[in-house]
Amino acid sequence: MSVVPFRQEYLPAPTPATVTVFASPTSWVESDAVDQCRQVATLDGMVHVAGMPDLHPGKGAPIGAAMASTVLYPHLVGSDIGCGIAVFPIALKRVVPERLAARFPDLDRSLDPDRDADDPAWSVLDGEVPAGHLDGLGTVGRGNHFVELARVGEVLDPGHAARLQLAAGDTVLVVHSGSRGLGERILREHTELRGAGPAGDPAAYLARHDDAVRWGSLNRRLLAARTAIALGAEPTAPVVDQCHNLVEVRDGHYLHRKGAAPGDGRDVLVAGTRGTPSYLVAGHAGAQANYSVAHGAGRKMSRADALRRGRAKHTVEELRRTPVGSLVVCGDRQLLFEEAPSAYKRIEQVIADLVGHGLATPVATTVPLVTYKTPDVGVAARGDRRPERRQAEQRRRGRR
């Protein structure tokens, strides 16, 4: 009997997913962000990674990316599930930014169904609060979240703008916020069991994920309603409301978006900075871009770098009045520096890249008038350059 010698078969390594970054050679895209896209491309089941022109590094996954896979990875969506940007028309009799800035409500104070039962902002709630999650309801949050009073600037596609009932000079509220602690809790419970691995039960994750997406949309409506009422206007429905941190099932794949908005025939507000215009665009992105468009200007500095460089170049008072003449409502000095316009890429270049790659058509710009981050700017606006010192003095007097 002859013996056939053993021959070991060396199977080829799995081919990584394809990676496409939709940015021109002159656009600012950090190599670390591209490296993160390539790392994501090696995950089991990954099919295609599309980087938007606002691409920048994130914690464990790139921000400004849409990632299609046969496997669901919660960490690719991140903790702020449901984060997005909505645009609400607002009819104001007189638009005086200095006066309106002082009338913004405290959007760090959450709405309580019992304590605030008579608050007229509840009129936008249709049904129950998703997941019954009340913590942080009606609050804007930190980081790059904001509520902004803006005017419609240049109308670039009059027909499309007319369909949205927007015209040059109109005032709108732009709201950028997410699911607050709900999304964070969902991701934390996953990572405690599986780390950065795939979802053990995709259907169960998606059910909770969908609650967080609905919660984020409700929160944007509540924020807009609270602000409109405080400014003397009636709450309105959004003309645009798109989430940019989510996963959807499409063409048999899980399409993860982290800082990328759905761009398949939908209107998206691509946020600039508090010192530059934002752009309302009509998205028409195809499969190569994972049906997605950019969600904003994208950071070009880390928060630490922005804080260090900003303190060397600007004063707090300079940052409370932007290059376009708008006001910033922010009592957190560190946040003022971290979110300075100079910390972000040029929004005009991001939009040019979207247009150049055939992903979107600009419809109109919105120009900031008042950007709300945190309460307390009223103290600074009255000439007190040290509000925290005044508050400390009040506390000392209260102890006497």
Side-chain angles (χ1 to χ4, degrees):
M1 181 179 68
S2 61
V3 178
V4 177
F6 174 79
R7 186 181 68 184
Q8 184 171 355
E9 297 285 350
Y10 289 94
L11 299 177
T15 303
T18 52
V19 176
T20 305
V21 177
F22 291 88
S24 65
T26 57
S27 296
W28 177 288
V29 177
E30 290 183 63
S31 59
D32 287 350
V34 178
D35 289 344
Q36 282 190 331
C37 287
R38 291 171 179 154
Q39 290 164 9
V40 168
T42 66
L43 293 175
D44 290 343
M46 195 59 59
V47 176
H48 180 56
V49 177
M52 299 296 109
D54 59 333
L55 183 71
H56 57 286
K59 293 181 179 179
I63 300 172
M67 301 151 278
S69 173
T70 59
V71 178
L72 174 54
Y73 292 98
H75 83 279
L76 295 183
V77 178
S79 61
D80 200 8
I81 304 166
C83 185
I85 297 178
V87 180
F88 302 80
I90 181 171
L92 297 170
K93 293 180 180 179
R94 293 188 64 198
V95 180
V96 181
E98 288 78 7
R99 293 182 180 179
L100 294 173
R103 294 176 61 181
F104 266 68
D106 181 356
L107 299 178
D108 280 1
R109 177 184 177 276
S110 62
L111 285 174
D112 181 89
D114 296 324
R115 181 192 63 214
D116 304 309
D118 297 331
D119 194 309
W122 289 115
S123 63
V124 303
L125 174 62
D126 183 13
E128 300 296 320
V129 175
H133 185 75
L134 300 176
D135 293 345
L137 192 63
T139 63
V140 66
R142 287 293 191 270
N144 61 355
H145 293 168
F146 62 84
V147 175
E148 184 170 274
L149 176 66
R151 63 174 172 81
V152 176
E154 187 177 4
V155 173
L156 303 163
D157 186 334
H160 198 120
R163 289 194 293 274
L164 295 173
Q165 297 184 322
L166 295 176
D170 287 354
T171 47
V172 294
L173 288 173
V174 180
V175 181
H176 178 198
S177 190
S179 59
R180 307 293 281 113
L182 180 57
E184 182 180 7
R185 187 175 72 193
I186 293 170
L187 181 63
R188 183 175 65 250
E189 291 177 3
H190 166 78
T191 55
E192 286 174 351
L193 293 174
R194 305 183 66 87
D201 185 341
Y205 171 82
L206 285 174
R208 300 186 70 194
H209 161 281
D210 291 350
D211 276 342
V213 171
R214 287 190 290 270
W215 198 100
S217 183
L218 169 63
N219 198 46
R220 290 187 284 279
R221 285 163 169 78
L222 284 170
L223 286 164
R226 296 181 75 181
T227 303
I229 292 165
L231 299 184
E234 292 293 323
T236 60
V239 295
V240 171
D241 185 10
Q242 290 300 334
C243 173
H244 50 238
N245 284 359
L246 78 164
V247 60
E248 65 178 40
V249 179
R250 181 167 191 147
D251 300 332
H253 296 146
Y254 296 108
L255 178 50
H256 312 74
R257 291 188 176 100
K258 179 68 177 292
D264 49 349
R266 286 177 262 193
D267 298 320
V268 176
L269 195 285
V270 185
T273 71
R274 65 191 187 218
T276 63
S278 296
Y279 282 75
L280 177 62
V281 304
H284 39 76
Q288 190 66 11
N290 278 337
Y291 308 100
S292 303
V293 296
H295 80 310
R299 296 194 72 91
K300 70 176 182 182
M301 293 184 201
S302 68
R303 295 188 180 279
D305 283 346
L307 183 62
R308 175 176 53 81
R309 296 183 186 184
R311 282 176 169 167
K313 292 176 61 177
H314 303 289
T315 67
V316 168
E317 297 308 317
E318 287 173 345
L319 293 178
R320 283 182 169 143
R321 175 77 70 170
T322 76
V324 295
S326 63
L327 300 176
V328 180
V329 180
C330 184
D332 184 333
R333 292 175 170 229
Q334 179 171 324
L335 190 60
L336 271 171
F337 289 106
E338 291 176 347
E339 289 295 309
S342 58
Y344 285 82
K345 304 179 187 184
R346 290 182 62 251
I347 185 63
E348 294 81 5
Q349 184 63 57
V350 171
I351 299 302
D353 286 350
L354 290 177
V355 173
H357 288 92
L359 305 186
T361 298
V363 175
T365 64
T366 64
V367 182
L369 297 171
V370 179
T371 303
Y372 176 99
K373 303 289 288 184
T374 68
D376 236 359
V377 77
V379 175
R382 290 191 295 270
D384 188 342
R385 294 175 177 268
R386 294 290 185 270
E388 67 276 12
R389 290 183 182 176
R390 194 175 81 165
Q391 292 163 0
E393 178 62 24
Q394 289 172 340
R395 288 194 293 270
R396 284 194 296 272
R397 290 176 181 176
R399 288 196 295 266
R400 291 174 183 171

